[in-house]
Amino acid sequence: MDVGWNWTAAVYGAMNPEDGTLHLYREYLQGEALPVVHAAAIGRELKGAIDWAGTDLTDGKRMIDVYRDLGLRVLPAHKEVESGIQKGLDLMTTGKLKCFSNLIATRKQFREYARDEKGHIQRQGKGLRRDLVDASRYLWMTPGILSVQSGEKTQATGYSGAGSWRGA
C-alpha cells in the first residue's frame, strides 16, 4: 500500500510457487478519504506491505498502527527504489510479472514510469502518478506478504494478458 491524503493505492498479487511468476490481480486507488474508508475497501483477508512514510519516522510508524487498528495485516514496506525497480524489470523481462487486464490504472502507471534526462525517476505531477507502481514494488520487495496459489487456481481467476505485464 502507498498511503496518503491525495491518493492511497494498493495492488494485490499472488506468487505461483511452481514457476515464480507474480500475478497482479486487483488494484485500489482512492484519493481524499480517511483510513477507515481505505481499510474497508482494501479488506482484511491478505497480508500487505505499507509505505510507512509520514511527516517523520514516528508519524509513519503511527500510520501503520492506524491501519493495523482497523484490522489490516500490514508490515512496513521495503521501499528500496533502485533495487526495487531493477527487480521489477527483471520480473517483466523474464515474463515473471503478469498483470491482469482489469488493472487499468496500474498498467497505465507502469507504461508512464520513466526517468528524466539525468536518469532520475520522474516526479509525480502534471498527470503523472506512480502510487500503484510504488505499491507493486513494495509487494515484490517486502518478504512474507505474497500469497501463494497453485498455477491452476491463479489462472482460474481471470488473467487475460498475452504474456506481457502490459497485456500487449
Side-chain angles (χ1 to χ4, degrees):
M1 289 177 58
D2 189 33
V3 300
W5 176 250
N6 291 327
W7 293 102
T8 292
V11 176
Y12 300 69
M15 182 71 70
N16 182 335
E18 296 168 13
D19 65 6
T21 300
L22 173 58
H23 296 267
L24 304 180
Y25 61 88
R26 182 176 166 205
E27 67 185 19
Y28 171 79
L29 184 64
Q30 175 68 46
E32 299 182 4
L34 297 171
V36 68
V37 173
H38 299 309
I42 290 167
R44 294 160 179 80
E45 68 274 5
L46 301 174
K47 284 193 279 184
I50 187 170
D51 175 2
W52 43 269
T55 55
D56 59 44
L57 185 59
T58 302
D59 184 41
K61 289 182 178 180
R62 286 190 183 133
M63 284 307 297
I64 291 174
D65 291 337
V66 167
Y67 280 94
R68 285 179 176 160
D69 290 346
L70 291 167
L72 269 62
R73 299 183 306 148
V74 290
L75 301 171
H78 287 223
K79 302 182 342 170
E80 301 86 354
V81 176
E82 285 301 326
S83 59
I85 290 170
Q86 293 307 310
K87 184 169 183 175
L89 287 171
D90 287 346
L91 289 168
M92 288 179 207
T93 57
T94 59
K96 299 288 185 185
L97 180 64
K98 306 291 184 180
C99 189
F100 282 30
S101 60
N102 62 310
L103 276 68
I104 295 167
T106 301
R107 293 156 63 108
K108 180 179 188 288
Q109 286 187 17
F110 270 115
R111 285 190 301 272
E112 294 174 348
Y113 207 80
R115 295 181 185 270
D116 63 20
E117 62 279 350
K118 295 182 179 179
H120 301 116
I121 297 165
Q122 289 184 343
R123 301 202 50 85
Q124 295 189 144
K126 298 182 183 177
L128 290 176
R129 305 261 8 121
R130 63 176 198 229
D131 314 278
L132 291 161
V133 173
D134 288 346
S136 298
R137 179 169 44 87
Y138 306 151
L139 185 64
W140 62 66
M141 290 300 289
T142 306
I145 62 166
L146 284 171
S147 63
V148 177
Q149 299 180 1
S150 71
E152 291 105 34
K153 188 168 184 181
T154 301
Q155 289 171 353
T157 60
Y159 173 72
S160 61
S164 168
W165 61 274
R166 291 183 179 190

